[in-house]
Amino acid sequence: MDIGNSAPRAGIDVDRGACIACGACSAVCPAEALVIVGLTLEVFPERCRPCGLAALVCPTGALRCPGPEPSERIL
Amino acid sequence: MREERFDVVVIGAGPAGSRTAALTAAAGLSTLLLEKRERVGFPVRCAEAVGPRRDIERFLPLDDDLVSSPIDGFALVSPAGERFAARMPGIGFVVDREAFDRRLAGAAVKAGAVLRTSHQATGLLHTDGRVAGAEVTDLATVERYRVTAAVTVGADGVECHSPRWAGLKGSYRPAEVMSCAQRLVEGIDVGERMIEFHLGGSVAPGGYAWVFPKGPSSANAGLGINPLRAGGIRAIDYLERFLSRQCPGASRERLVVGGTIVARGLPRLATGGYLAVGEAANQNNPFSGGGIVNALEGADLAAGTIVEALAGGGPTARALSRYTDRWNRTTGRANKRFWRAAQFFYGLGDDAMERVIGRMRRTPGLIGESGVDPLRLLLALARSDPRLVFRLAAGILKR
Ligand SMILES: Cc1cc2nc3c(=O)[nH]c(=O)nc-3n(C[C@H](O)[C@H](O)[C@H](O)COP(=O)(O)OP(=O)(O)OC[C@H]3O[C@@H](n4cnc5c(N)ncnc54)[C@H](O)[C@@H]3O)c2cc1C
Ligand code: SF4
């Protein structure tokens, strides 16, 4: 992963104490950056687009996803 | 990379996967059932309610050790706390979901399927434009290997990576996934063994809260919300608020969180060499989010189609598309109606919901043999609230 590329944005951030690996975020993440491996949420930050959607469905608030840069927003 | 060969490989040992594997193995097909968790059914992410005994016993005997509590009726609680209740003994059961899932997986093994826990599918194999098996990681040894199979079944639940790998769907929008949180609460009165549904924007925006009897003095109390209507407040915060109001004295035990897919339904459930079943196939009821029995129904249709295809001309996209047709003629059709009903109902707003429940309370004979009589309800509503009924009709008639 090219760190310099994503530096202006905060990356995907998981509060490990709060995440219960329920998988709700996996259903929403369009980039498959969030994968439950066994019983742990694994993050593949290099796949993140970023769209900010998956964090919305997290029931515990464990997940923070970066949103798109203003210049990249479609709407 | 090491390679193994099976007739059928099933990804995920929830109800959908275990039931499919049991049926394909019983039909004499060599079947591998993969489960990424160490223990089938654990941890439970479910409110554990199912329908009447005859619905379940099409699939497995509802032995006493699977039942936590019978359900003897239901109650709707309006945003202002008005209660519409209907006693209906035999309407359903709250099960022990872990034991339930393990029983189903056990049936698959008994039928001859090979079950591997802590083995996770990490991708699909493709040959000639067809799905030809799965790539698997043994999580204990971190060994990766390939399983080639005539048919691959995606029963991977809410995470649903495999239908995406197969090109059947993209990801879901946040509003299509109910964000849920639940506690096992101890020390509450469930004397009447009713299941309760609590409605209202401040209780569970775009969804509902539930209290399902679990034992003599315990219940699964939880809620599911539409995250886009929640104003940035998380499901667990709504839950704590609900419990403080609803059962302030009860102790709050085991926390369950999860998402349940309440989207409209997939246009295609199968492609060459692959089909999706259960929640991965968007087979949950989009009104309630429930999906245990739907998953079992999907599994029966999927397995029947697989057996037929392998006995005939092979698992082509065309042969497996019969599964989509069969689903769309049965539960899939009902799900379309439930989806439209959900768009209408959860969009009502508190005032209209209050009026609906008020009208239900004042309408005699609303409960028939199998629940609320929709025609009587409609007539009652038409009398009190013609505009509402017009909106409902417009919603249902819309394609
Ligand atoms: C909070 C909550 C409450 C609910 N309450 C109810 C209820 O009261 N009644 C009801 O009917 N339904 C309820 N549901 C819905 C119900 O839980 C699902 O519909 C049901 O579990 C679907 O069964 P399934 O077999 O399709 O998927 P699941 O039961 O989710 O099984 C999928 C399995 O696949 C495994 N898996 C996933 N990916 C892989 C992989 N790559 N490799 C190997 N294994 C994998 C998972 O670990 C899992 O064991 C609820 C859901 C939630 C979240
Ligand atoms: S939705 Fe939240 S709790 Fe569930 S797996 Fe994702 S980050 Fe963890």
Side-chain angles (χ1 to χ4, degrees):
Chain A
M1 190 184 83
D2 183 353
I3 306 243
N5 242 352
S6 54
R9 306 170 184 129
I12 302 174
D13 181 32
V14 183
D15 174 350
R16 294 285 163 190
C19 173
I20 314 189
C22 71
C25 54
S26 299
V28 171
C29 174
E32 300 205 22
L34 302 160
V35 180
I36 310 292
V37 177
L39 284 179
T40 320
L41 175 66
E42 273 201 23
V43 178
F44 297 84
E46 70 283 4
R47 299 181 188 166
C48 179
R49 288 190 179 167
C51 68
L53 294 177
L56 294 173
V57 300
C58 175
T60 65
L63 182 64
R64 268 176 227 299
C65 292
E69 293 287 286
S71 61
E72 292 171 2
R73 279 192 199 130
I74 313 166
L75 295 178
Chain B
M1 209 184 282
R2 182 163 70 81
E3 193 166 300
E4 291 183 62
R5 164 104 209 141
F6 285 84
D7 294 325
V8 179
V9 58
V10 180
I11 303 171
S18 290
R19 175 71 181 169
T20 308
L23 296 174
T24 56
L29 301 171
S30 64
T31 302
L32 174 64
L33 176 56
L34 298 168
E35 171 52 56
K36 69 174 162 53
R37 298 176 177 190
E38 214 176 301
R39 223 163 93 195
V40 169
F42 179 84
V44 172
R45 304 212 197 283
C46 188
E48 307 179 294
V50 295
R53 184 173 287 276
R54 62 169 186 279
D55 277 9
I56 310 308
E57 296 209 318
R58 284 148 58 201
F59 307 104
L60 78 168
L62 195 55
D63 297 333
D64 287 347
D65 63 322
L66 297 185
V67 173
S68 299
S69 171
I71 299 170
D72 290 338
F74 75 94
L76 299 178
V77 182
S78 77
E82 294 285 328
R83 193 179 151 94
F84 168 85
R87 249 191 77 72
M88 301 178 69
I91 188 186
F93 295 89
V94 174
V95 295
D96 175 340
R97 178 74 197 271
E98 184 182 347
F100 190 88
D101 282 19
R102 294 178 72 77
R103 191 67 44 89
L104 285 164
V109 171
K110 232 183 244 163
V114 176
L115 168 66
R116 286 187 195 149
T117 52
S118 293
H119 285 240
Q120 179 154 356
T122 47
L124 297 180
L125 309 175
H126 296 266
T127 312
D128 303 330
R130 232 198 243 183
V131 175
E135 195 179 279
V136 184
T137 303
D138 175 345
L139 299 178
T141 62
V142 208
E143 185 208 4
R144 287 170 60 187
Y145 62 101
R146 292 148 65 95
V147 177
T148 59
V151 180
T152 303
V153 177
D156 41 344
V158 66
E159 295 142 58
C160 59
H161 292 291
S162 80
R164 292 184 248 182
W165 298 333
L168 289 184
K169 65 176 284 293
S171 48
Y172 289 97
R173 286 180 282 123
E176 295 175 321
V177 179
M178 239 192 212
S179 181
C180 306
Q182 169 186 282
R183 288 261 187 201
L184 176 66
V185 294
E186 303 262 12
I188 68 163
D189 179 16
V190 294
E192 293 199 289
R193 301 195 300 206
M194 308 278 260
I195 49 175
E196 283 182 6
F197 301 93
H198 296 248
L199 300 159
S202 66
V203 177
Y208 61 90
W210 63 79
V211 182
F212 295 170
K214 180 75 179 157
S217 60
S218 61
N220 287 335
L223 47 78
I225 60 175
N226 175 341
L228 295 189
R229 297 220 195 130
I233 301 173
R234 307 166 301 179
I236 50 164
D237 298 328
Y238 276 103
L239 177 65
E240 293 308 311
R241 202 149 81 182
F242 175 67
L243 296 178
S244 304
R245 255 186 308 192
Q246 201 53 37
C247 39
S251 75
R252 299 171 195 183
E253 310 289 330
R254 189 180 72 181
L255 174 70
V256 167
V257 309
T260 179
I261 295 170
V262 290
R264 182 168 195 190
L266 299 182
R268 278 191 313 146
L269 305 180
T271 177
Y274 174 91
L275 26 74
V277 194
E279 184 152 16
N282 195 175
Q283 288 176 335
N284 279 3
N285 178 320
F287 192 84
S288 67
I292 303 170
V293 174
N294 286 16
L296 296 172
E297 285 171 344
D300 278 20
L301 298 177
T305 309
I306 294 168
V307 172
E308 199 178 272
L310 293 187
T316 58
R318 189 165 180 168
L320 296 185
S321 73
R322 286 196 205 116
Y323 162 58
T324 307
D325 299 339
R326 285 167 180 155
W327 174 258
N328 285 340
R329 279 201 301 272
T330 53
T331 311
R333 174 178 299 178
N335 268 2
K336 280 208 182 91
R337 285 199 288 267
F338 280 122
W339 183 82
R340 283 186 212 117
Q343 306 313 301
F344 170 78
F345 189 73
Y346 297 118
L348 273 180
D350 282 9
D351 289 349
M353 225 171 248
E354 201 62 54
R355 291 203 300 276
V356 171
I357 292 174
R359 179 43 72 177
M360 289 174 80
R361 281 164 56 85
R362 293 191 302 275
T363 306
L366 196 55
I367 300 298
E369 284 255 309
S370 53
V372 176
D373 180 342
L375 197 63
R376 262 181 205 277
L377 175 59
L378 214 61
L379 289 174
L381 286 177
R383 240 172 278 141
S384 70
D385 209 335
R387 279 190 22 225
L388 199 70
V389 175
F390 180 74
R391 264 170 63 200
L392 174 67
I396 288 178
L397 293 176
K398 207 164 55 191
R399 198 187 61 82

